[in-house]
PDB file of all heavy atoms in Angstrom:
ATOM      1  N   PHE A 594     160.832 119.792  17.249  1.00  0.00           N
ATOM      2  CA  PHE A 594     160.663 120.531  18.428  1.00  0.00           C
ATOM      3  C   PHE A 594     159.617 121.646  18.272  1.00  0.00           C
ATOM      4  O   PHE A 594     158.875 122.071  19.179  1.00  0.00           O
ATOM      5  CB  PHE A 594     161.965 120.994  19.109  1.00  0.00           C
ATOM      6  CG  PHE A 594     162.475 120.076  20.194  1.00  0.00           C
ATOM      7  CD1 PHE A 594     162.631 118.805  19.852  1.00  0.00           C
ATOM      8  CD2 PHE A 594     162.698 120.521  21.428  1.00  0.00           C
ATOM      9  CE1 PHE A 594     163.145 117.890  20.883  1.00  0.00           C
ATOM     10  CE2 PHE A 594     163.119 119.740  22.429  1.00  0.00           C
ATOM     11  CZ  PHE A 594     163.363 118.348  22.231  1.00  0.00           C
ATOM     12  N   GLY A 595     159.905 122.308  17.147  1.00  0.00           N
ATOM     13  CA  GLY A 595     159.025 123.551  16.846  1.00  0.00           C
ATOM     14  C   GLY A 595     157.509 123.240  16.794  1.00  0.00           C
ATOM     15  O   GLY A 595     156.650 124.023  16.994  1.00  0.00           O
ATOM     16  N   ASP A 596     157.177 121.934  16.512  1.00  0.00           N
ATOM     17  CA  ASP A 596     155.750 121.591  16.491  1.00  0.00           C
ATOM     18  C   ASP A 596     155.159 121.353  17.915  1.00  0.00           C
ATOM     19  O   ASP A 596     153.944 121.389  18.029  1.00  0.00           O
ATOM     20  CB  ASP A 596     155.623 120.093  15.842  1.00  0.00           C
ATOM     21  CG  ASP A 596     156.049 120.037  14.445  1.00  0.00           C
ATOM     22  OD1 ASP A 596     156.167 121.212  13.749  1.00  0.00           O
ATOM     23  OD2 ASP A 596     156.399 118.961  13.888  1.00  0.00           O
ATOM     24  N   LEU A 597     155.973 121.178  18.939  1.00  0.00           N
ATOM     25  CA  LEU A 597     155.521 120.893  20.236  1.00  0.00           C
ATOM     26  C   LEU A 597     154.892 122.248  20.771  1.00  0.00           C
ATOM     27  O   LEU A 597     155.413 123.336  20.585  1.00  0.00           O
ATOM     28  CB  LEU A 597     156.585 120.505  21.142  1.00  0.00           C
ATOM     29  CG  LEU A 597     157.202 119.104  20.948  1.00  0.00           C
ATOM     30  CD1 LEU A 597     158.491 118.859  21.690  1.00  0.00           C
ATOM     31  CD2 LEU A 597     156.156 117.986  21.185  1.00  0.00           C
ATOM     32  N   PRO A 598     153.842 122.087  21.684  1.00  0.00           N
ATOM     33  CA  PRO A 598     153.332 123.301  22.269  1.00  0.00           C
ATOM     34  C   PRO A 598     154.413 123.918  23.219  1.00  0.00           C
ATOM     35  O   PRO A 598     155.282 123.231  23.683  1.00  0.00           O
ATOM     36  CB  PRO A 598     152.270 122.761  23.240  1.00  0.00           C
ATOM     37  CG  PRO A 598     151.952 121.452  22.780  1.00  0.00           C
ATOM     38  CD  PRO A 598     153.110 120.782  22.047  1.00  0.00           C
ATOM     39  N   LYS A 599     154.403 125.314  23.470  1.00  0.00           N
ATOM     40  CA  LYS A 599     155.263 125.982  24.143  1.00  0.00           C
ATOM     41  C   LYS A 599     155.530 125.333  25.520  1.00  0.00           C
ATOM     42  O   LYS A 599     156.720 125.190  25.930  1.00  0.00           O
ATOM     43  CB  LYS A 599     154.896 127.435  24.262  1.00  0.00           C
ATOM     44  CG  LYS A 599     155.946 128.405  24.548  1.00  0.00           C
ATOM     45  CD  LYS A 599     155.552 129.780  24.413  1.00  0.00           C
ATOM     46  CE  LYS A 599     156.445 130.727  25.270  1.00  0.00           C
ATOM     47  NZ  LYS A 599     155.718 131.933  25.733  1.00  0.00           N
ATOM     48  N   ALA A 600     154.439 124.990  26.173  1.00  0.00           N
ATOM     49  CA  ALA A 600     154.561 124.508  27.580  1.00  0.00           C
ATOM     50  C   ALA A 600     155.332 123.150  27.490  1.00  0.00           C
ATOM     51  O   ALA A 600     156.134 122.892  28.508  1.00  0.00           O
ATOM     52  CB  ALA A 600     153.232 124.225  28.109  1.00  0.00           C
ATOM     53  N   ALA A 601     155.223 122.324  26.464  1.00  0.00           N
ATOM     54  CA  ALA A 601     155.931 121.043  26.410  1.00  0.00           C
ATOM     55  C   ALA A 601     157.422 121.345  26.171  1.00  0.00           C
ATOM     56  O   ALA A 601     158.289 120.668  26.872  1.00  0.00           O
ATOM     57  CB  ALA A 601     155.401 120.200  25.263  1.00  0.00           C
ATOM     58  N   ARG A 602     157.784 122.376  25.317  1.00  0.00           N
ATOM     59  CA  ARG A 602     159.194 122.688  25.116  1.00  0.00           C
ATOM     60  C   ARG A 602     159.715 123.293  26.440  1.00  0.00           C
ATOM     61  O   ARG A 602     160.871 122.875  26.728  1.00  0.00           O
ATOM     62  CB  ARG A 602     159.261 123.739  23.956  1.00  0.00           C
ATOM     63  CG  ARG A 602     159.295 123.077  22.630  1.00  0.00           C
ATOM     64  CD  ARG A 602     159.493 124.084  21.505  1.00  0.00           C
ATOM     65  NE  ARG A 602     158.092 124.744  21.328  1.00  0.00           N
ATOM     66  CZ  ARG A 602     157.935 126.048  21.004  1.00  0.00           C
ATOM     67  NH1 ARG A 602     159.027 126.817  20.813  1.00  0.00           N
ATOM     68  NH2 ARG A 602     156.737 126.530  20.733  1.00  0.00           N
ATOM     69  N   HIS A 603     158.968 123.992  27.117  1.00  0.00           N
ATOM     70  CA  HIS A 603     159.551 124.576  28.396  1.00  0.00           C
ATOM     71  C   HIS A 603     159.799 123.481  29.358  1.00  0.00           C
ATOM     72  O   HIS A 603     160.815 123.524  30.006  1.00  0.00           O
ATOM     73  CB  HIS A 603     158.385 125.549  28.824  1.00  0.00           C
ATOM     74  CG  HIS A 603     158.787 126.428  30.009  1.00  0.00           C
ATOM     75  ND1 HIS A 603     157.980 126.927  31.025  1.00  0.00           N
ATOM     76  CD2 HIS A 603     160.024 126.696  30.427  1.00  0.00           C
ATOM     77  CE1 HIS A 603     158.601 127.538  31.945  1.00  0.00           C
ATOM     78  NE2 HIS A 603     159.943 127.441  31.580  1.00  0.00           N
ATOM     79  N   TYR A 604     158.872 122.439  29.457  1.00  0.00           N
ATOM     80  CA  TYR A 604     159.102 121.470  30.378  1.00  0.00           C
ATOM     81  C   TYR A 604     160.494 120.580  30.014  1.00  0.00           C
ATOM     82  O   TYR A 604     161.213 120.403  30.904  1.00  0.00           O
ATOM     83  CB  TYR A 604     157.926 120.472  30.193  1.00  0.00           C
ATOM     84  CG  TYR A 604     157.879 119.290  31.178  1.00  0.00           C
ATOM     85  CD1 TYR A 604     157.359 119.419  32.441  1.00  0.00           C
ATOM     86  CD2 TYR A 604     158.270 117.954  30.780  1.00  0.00           C
ATOM     87  CE1 TYR A 604     157.245 118.299  33.381  1.00  0.00           C
ATOM     88  CE2 TYR A 604     158.198 116.890  31.588  1.00  0.00           C
ATOM     89  CZ  TYR A 604     157.696 116.979  32.920  1.00  0.00           C
ATOM     90  OH  TYR A 604     157.637 116.017  33.815  1.00  0.00           O
ATOM     91  N   ILE A 605     160.540 120.283  28.766  1.00  0.00           N
ATOM     92  CA  ILE A 605     161.879 119.706  28.385  1.00  0.00           C
ATOM     93  C   ILE A 605     163.135 120.571  28.708  1.00  0.00           C
ATOM     94  O   ILE A 605     164.198 120.019  29.330  1.00  0.00           O
ATOM     95  CB  ILE A 605     161.773 119.443  26.814  1.00  0.00           C
ATOM     96  CG1 ILE A 605     160.647 118.441  26.533  1.00  0.00           C
ATOM     97  CG2 ILE A 605     163.093 118.711  26.358  1.00  0.00           C
ATOM     98  CD1 ILE A 605     160.227 118.479  25.078  1.00  0.00           C
ATOM     99  N   GLU A 606     162.955 121.764  28.358  1.00  0.00           N
ATOM    100  CA  GLU A 606     164.190 122.650  28.575  1.00  0.00           C
ATOM    101  C   GLU A 606     164.418 122.817  30.012  1.00  0.00           C
ATOM    102  O   GLU A 606     165.569 122.809  30.391  1.00  0.00           O
ATOM    103  CB  GLU A 606     163.875 124.064  27.975  1.00  0.00           C
ATOM    104  CG  GLU A 606     164.210 124.096  26.495  1.00  0.00           C
ATOM    105  CD  GLU A 606     163.400 125.106  25.710  1.00  0.00           C
ATOM    106  OE1 GLU A 606     162.866 126.066  26.361  1.00  0.00           O
ATOM    107  OE2 GLU A 606     163.278 124.959  24.413  1.00  0.00           O
ATOM    108  N   ARG A 607     163.497 122.829  30.894  1.00  0.00           N
ATOM    109  CA  ARG A 607     163.580 123.002  32.265  1.00  0.00           C
ATOM    110  C   ARG A 607     164.226 121.737  32.893  1.00  0.00           C
ATOM    111  O   ARG A 607     165.215 121.723  33.724  1.00  0.00           O
ATOM    112  CB  ARG A 607     162.304 123.318  33.007  1.00  0.00           C
ATOM    113  CG  ARG A 607     162.369 123.577  34.461  1.00  0.00           C
ATOM    114  CD  ARG A 607     163.108 124.860  34.738  1.00  0.00           C
ATOM    115  NE  ARG A 607     163.218 125.083  36.220  1.00  0.00           N
ATOM    116  CZ  ARG A 607     164.336 125.539  36.728  1.00  0.00           C
ATOM    117  NH1 ARG A 607     165.416 125.854  35.989  1.00  0.00           N
ATOM    118  NH2 ARG A 607     164.343 125.766  37.988  1.00  0.00           N
ATOM    119  N   VAL A 608     163.830 120.531  32.415  1.00  0.00           N
ATOM    120  CA  VAL A 608     164.398 119.332  32.884  1.00  0.00           C
ATOM    121  C   VAL A 608     165.907 119.232  32.508  1.00  0.00           C
ATOM    122  O   VAL A 608     166.714 118.907  33.287  1.00  0.00           O
ATOM    123  CB  VAL A 608     163.718 118.091  32.366  1.00  0.00           C
ATOM    124  CG1 VAL A 608     164.426 116.794  32.828  1.00  0.00           C
ATOM    125  CG2 VAL A 608     162.229 118.089  32.715  1.00  0.00           C
ATOM    126  N   ALA A 609     166.175 119.610  31.268  1.00  0.00           N
ATOM    127  CA  ALA A 609     167.578 119.517  30.809  1.00  0.00           C
ATOM    128  C   ALA A 609     168.408 120.612  31.635  1.00  0.00           C
ATOM    129  O   ALA A 609     169.536 120.181  32.118  1.00  0.00           O
ATOM    130  CB  ALA A 609     167.629 120.034  29.325  1.00  0.00           C
ATOM    131  N   GLN A 610     167.880 121.707  31.986  1.00  0.00           N
ATOM    132  CA  GLN A 610     168.692 122.666  32.756  1.00  0.00           C
ATOM    133  C   GLN A 610     168.868 122.184  34.164  1.00  0.00           C
ATOM    134  O   GLN A 610     169.952 122.200  34.705  1.00  0.00           O
ATOM    135  CB  GLN A 610     167.776 124.009  32.821  1.00  0.00           C
ATOM    136  CG  GLN A 610     168.403 125.106  33.393  1.00  0.00           C
ATOM    137  CD  GLN A 610     167.466 126.285  33.470  1.00  0.00           C
ATOM    138  OE1 GLN A 610     166.270 126.188  33.724  1.00  0.00           O
ATOM    139  NE2 GLN A 610     167.878 127.461  33.064  1.00  0.00           N
ATOM    140  N   LEU A 611     167.857 121.522  34.791  1.00  0.00           N
ATOM    141  CA  LEU A 611     167.855 121.179  36.164  1.00  0.00           C
ATOM    142  C   LEU A 611     168.931 119.990  36.360  1.00  0.00           C
ATOM    143  O   LEU A 611     169.465 119.751  37.412  1.00  0.00           O
ATOM    144  CB  LEU A 611     166.539 120.759  36.680  1.00  0.00           C
ATOM    145  CG  LEU A 611     165.613 121.844  36.979  1.00  0.00           C
ATOM    146  CD1 LEU A 611     164.193 121.390  37.164  1.00  0.00           C
ATOM    147  CD2 LEU A 611     166.055 122.646  38.280  1.00  0.00           C
ATOM    148  N   CYS A 612     169.000 119.157  35.233  1.00  0.00           N
ATOM    149  CA  CYS A 612     169.865 117.990  35.370  1.00  0.00           C
ATOM    150  C   CYS A 612     171.279 118.225  34.732  1.00  0.00           C
ATOM    151  O   CYS A 612     172.108 117.432  34.756  1.00  0.00           O
ATOM    152  CB  CYS A 612     169.362 116.676  34.537  1.00  0.00           C
ATOM    153  SG  CYS A 612     167.715 116.316  34.723  1.00  0.00           S
ATOM    154  N   ASP A 613     171.403 119.354  34.112  1.00  0.00           N
ATOM    155  CA  ASP A 613     172.608 119.790  33.424  1.00  0.00           C
ATOM    156  C   ASP A 613     172.995 118.700  32.382  1.00  0.00           C
ATOM    157  O   ASP A 613     174.176 118.153  32.369  1.00  0.00           O
ATOM    158  CB  ASP A 613     173.782 119.762  34.403  1.00  0.00           C
ATOM    159  CG  ASP A 613     175.025 120.507  33.880  1.00  0.00           C
ATOM    160  OD1 ASP A 613     174.784 121.231  32.835  1.00  0.00           O
ATOM    161  OD2 ASP A 613     176.101 120.319  34.503  1.00  0.00           O
ATOM    162  N   ALA A 614     172.047 118.352  31.584  1.00  0.00           N
ATOM    163  CA  ALA A 614     172.367 117.426  30.344  1.00  0.00           C
ATOM    164  C   ALA A 614     171.375 117.862  29.272  1.00  0.00           C
ATOM    165  O   ALA A 614     170.194 118.122  29.532  1.00  0.00           O
ATOM    166  CB  ALA A 614     172.011 116.051  30.800  1.00  0.00           C
ATOM    167  N   PRO A 615     171.988 117.943  28.038  1.00  0.00           N
ATOM    168  CA  PRO A 615     171.164 118.261  26.850  1.00  0.00           C
ATOM    169  C   PRO A 615     170.060 117.195  26.653  1.00  0.00           C
ATOM    170  O   PRO A 615     170.207 115.952  26.786  1.00  0.00           O
ATOM    171  CB  PRO A 615     172.094 118.297  25.737  1.00  0.00           C
ATOM    172  CG  PRO A 615     173.330 117.615  26.170  1.00  0.00           C
ATOM    173  CD  PRO A 615     173.344 117.637  27.608  1.00  0.00           C
ATOM    174  N   ILE A 616     168.879 117.701  26.112  1.00  0.00           N
ATOM    175  CA  ILE A 616     167.763 116.788  25.624  1.00  0.00           C
ATOM    176  C   ILE A 616     167.491 117.096  24.256  1.00  0.00           C
ATOM    177  O   ILE A 616     166.950 118.098  23.987  1.00  0.00           O
ATOM    178  CB  ILE A 616     166.549 116.938  26.499  1.00  0.00           C
ATOM    179  CG1 ILE A 616     166.749 116.631  27.987  1.00  0.00           C
ATOM    180  CG2 ILE A 616     165.360 116.072  26.003  1.00  0.00           C
ATOM    181  CD1 ILE A 616     165.593 116.693  28.920  1.00  0.00           C
ATOM    182  N   GLU A 617     167.845 116.252  23.401  1.00  0.00           N
ATOM    183  CA  GLU A 617     167.713 116.537  21.872  1.00  0.00           C
ATOM    184  C   GLU A 617     166.594 115.620  21.272  1.00  0.00           C
ATOM    185  O   GLU A 617     166.273 115.800  20.119  1.00  0.00           O
ATOM    186  CB  GLU A 617     169.020 116.281  21.232  1.00  0.00           C
ATOM    187  CG  GLU A 617     170.211 117.015  21.947  1.00  0.00           C
ATOM    188  CD  GLU A 617     171.289 117.420  20.916  1.00  0.00           C
ATOM    189  OE1 GLU A 617     171.420 116.704  19.949  1.00  0.00           O
ATOM    190  OE2 GLU A 617     171.921 118.542  21.217  1.00  0.00           O
TER     191      GLU A 617
END
Side-chain angles (χ1 to χ4, degrees):
F594 261 61
D596 299 339
L597 292 169
K599 198 170 158 209
R602 275 181 283 145
H603 188 204
Y604 185 82
I605 297 162
E606 279 154 17
R607 186 67 182 138
V608 174
Q610 185 184 44
L611 286 166
C612 316
D613 195 20
I616 300 180
E617 305 206 333

